[in-house]
Amino acid sequence: MKSFLPLIFGMTAVTYLPRLIPLITMTERPINPLLKRFLLYIPYTALSALIVRGIIEAPTEMQLATIIGIVAAGICSFFKGGLILSVLVSVVAAFLVL
Amino acid sequence: MIEKDQTPIFTSIKQGVLTSIPLIFGYFPVAMAFGMLSKNIGISFRDTSFFSIFVFAGASQFMALDLINAGISTGNIIIATFLLNLRHLMMSASLSLRLQEIKKHWLLFIAFGVTDESFSVTSLINRKLNVPFLLTLYGLSYSSWVIGTITGYLIGSILPLAVQNSLGIGLYAMFMALLVPETKKSMPILCLSVFSGLLYIFISYFNLFSSSWSLIGTIIIASGAGAFFIKDSAIEEDKI
C-alpha cells in the first residue's frame, strides 16, 4: 500500500499555517480589497469546479446516480438547508437509482 | 499568572460541551464517509487516521481523496489544499480580534481547531472566548472527526456495494450543500459558481491545462475574475 505521509504532512502545513499565522500576528492590517475578494471567492469557485468535475469524471454507470444525487442535495439544501440532511437525502436518492 | 476572565473554569467547560453538540453530531457521519471512501480507494488504516488526526479539514480531505483517485501528483494536491484553505486566513484574522487576552502558547492549539463549522459556531456566540471554553469546543469536535473516520474505515466495508457507491456520492452532495445556501444569499456568488463550473468544463474539454492543473487553474481564473468584476460587499461583511 502506498504511503501518503508526504501528502499528509504537506497538507497539514498548508492547513495549519493559514489558521495559525493570523492568530499569532494579531494584526488588523487592512488587506488589499482585491486580494480579499479573491480569497473570499475561492471556496465557491472551488466547490463548483469540484462538483462539475465529479460529474464529468464519474464512471459511466455511476453518472446518472451522481447527477441525481447532486441535484437532490441541491434541492434539499435550497428548501430545507442543513448539511447532514441534504447529504442523507442525496445518498438515498442515489441509492434508489443504482 | 493573573487571568482576566473571571468565568469559573467548570462553567466554561460546560458551555464548551453544550456548544460542541451540533459539531459532534455534524462531523461524525461525514467523518465516517471519509474513512470509508479512503479505504475504498486503497489508503491504509494508518494514513486514513493520520489524515483526520493531522490535517483536520473536511473539504480538503475529501478533495484530496478525489484527487488521489484521479492520479493527481502530491505537489498539486498540496497546492489545491492551500488554495482551498486560504479562506481560513480570513476566519483566523477575524477570530484573533476576540482572542487578544489569550496567551500565545494556547493559540497554537486553538489555531488547529479553526474550521468552517467551528468558526461559524464561535462567531455566533456572544460570550467571552476563553481558553477552557475553546479547548473543550474544539477538542470535542476534533475527537468526533477522528473517531468518526476510524469507525467509517473499520465498519464501512460491511455495507453492500450499492450503499458504498451511494455514500461516495455523498461527497458531492456535501459540496453542493455547502455551496447552495451561499448562492441563495447572493446573486453574484451564484453567477460566479456557475461561471466556475462552466469554465472547468471548457478547460477540461479543450485540455487547456494538464489534467492535474485544470482544477487549480479554474479556481484561480474564476476567483480572479470574481475579484475584478464582482464587488459584492454583502458577502464580505457576512463572512468577516
Side-chain angles (χ1 to χ4, degrees):
Chain A
M1 227 175 243
K2 192 186 161 196
S3 166
F4 288 97
L5 290 184
L7 175 64
I8 291 168
F9 293 118
M11 281 179 65
T12 304
V14 298
T15 306
Y16 184 55
L17 293 178
R19 290 173 181 177
L20 178 69
I21 291 167
L23 285 192
I24 294 290
T25 55
M26 282 203 185
T27 46
E28 214 181 334
R29 205 180 316 148
I31 308 170
N32 176 307
L34 194 66
L35 176 65
K36 189 169 142 190
R37 284 202 300 275
F38 176 74
L39 296 176
L40 281 170
Y41 291 150
I42 285 175
Y44 311 114
T45 57
L47 287 172
S48 176
L50 281 166
I51 293 166
V52 170
R53 190 174 171 286
I55 298 173
I56 296 178
E57 312 270 309
T60 324
E61 72 277 10
M62 292 276 293
Q63 217 142 27
L64 179 66
T66 308
I67 293 171
I68 287 180
I70 291 172
V71 170
I75 293 171
C76 180
S77 159
F78 187 85
F79 289 105
K80 293 270 182 196
L83 190 62
I84 307 303
L85 179 70
S86 306
V87 172
L88 283 178
V89 166
S90 156
V91 167
V92 171
F95 178 71
L96 293 176
V97 180
L98 277 173
Chain B
M1 282 289 158
I2 302 151
E3 180 64 72
K4 286 177 192 163
D5 184 8
Q6 294 302 316
T7 321
I9 287 186
F10 180 74
T11 315
S12 299
I13 291 177
K14 199 175 120 192
Q15 285 174 340
V17 173
L18 290 176
T19 314
S20 71
I21 290 172
L23 291 179
I24 292 174
F25 283 97
Y27 279 162
F28 200 84
V30 181
M32 266 188 76
F34 175 79
M36 212 183 54
L37 276 175
S38 181
K39 187 181 186 184
N40 284 352
I41 67 167
I43 297 175
S44 69
F45 177 68
R46 183 199 68 183
D47 287 354
T48 303
S49 319
F50 277 11
F51 266 113
S52 287
I53 292 170
F54 292 109
V55 183
F56 186 37
S60 302
Q61 285 178 228
F62 276 108
M63 184 182 69
L65 290 188
D66 207 25
L67 299 182
I68 289 170
N69 207 17
I72 308 291
S73 72
T74 299
N76 278 333
I77 300 177
I78 294 173
I79 293 171
T81 307
F82 178 65
L83 290 173
L84 196 62
N85 286 333
L86 281 176
R87 68 192 188 282
H88 292 142
L89 277 176
M90 302 294 148
M91 298 180 186
S92 280
S94 141
L95 194 60
S96 75
L97 305 176
R98 295 175 69 194
L99 301 178
Q100 304 286 359
E101 289 172 16
I102 290 178
K103 299 204 172 48
K104 297 250 178 192
H105 62 271
W106 289 117
L107 295 176
L108 294 174
F109 299 98
I110 290 167
F112 189 73
V114 178
T115 63
D116 298 343
E117 297 79 12
S118 71
F119 174 76
S120 321
V121 170
T122 31
S123 55
L124 293 173
I125 293 172
N126 291 318
R127 80 183 298 282
K128 196 173 169 55
L129 299 177
N130 62 15
V131 173
F133 173 78
L134 286 171
L135 289 186
T136 309
L137 173 65
Y138 290 177
L140 287 175
S141 24
Y142 174 67
S143 309
S144 168
W145 182 249
V146 172
I147 296 169
T149 303
I150 292 171
T151 311
Y153 191 95
L154 294 178
I155 68 155
S157 55
I158 297 170
L159 303 168
L161 190 65
V163 176
Q164 292 187 32
N165 282 338
S166 345
L167 284 170
I169 292 169
L171 159 65
Y172 300 105
M174 185 183 85
F175 292 155
M176 197 68 181
L178 287 170
L179 186 60
V180 167
E182 302 297 331
T183 59
K184 210 171 142 181
K185 274 188 269 176
S186 156
M187 192 60 188
I189 293 298
L190 175 63
C191 296
L192 188 62
S193 306
V194 171
F195 171 69
S196 179
L198 294 175
L199 183 66
Y200 182 82
I201 295 175
F202 184 79
I203 287 176
S204 63
Y205 185 78
F206 290 104
N207 287 316
L208 297 184
F209 299 104
S210 71
S211 72
S212 59
W213 281 94
S214 295
L215 184 69
I216 299 171
T218 304
I219 295 171
I220 293 175
I221 296 170
S223 307
F228 271 105
F229 297 113
I230 304 174
K231 294 180 169 58
D232 181 6
S233 61
I235 189 105
E236 289 166 37
E237 280 153 26
D238 187 44
K239 284 274 165 183
I240 301 287

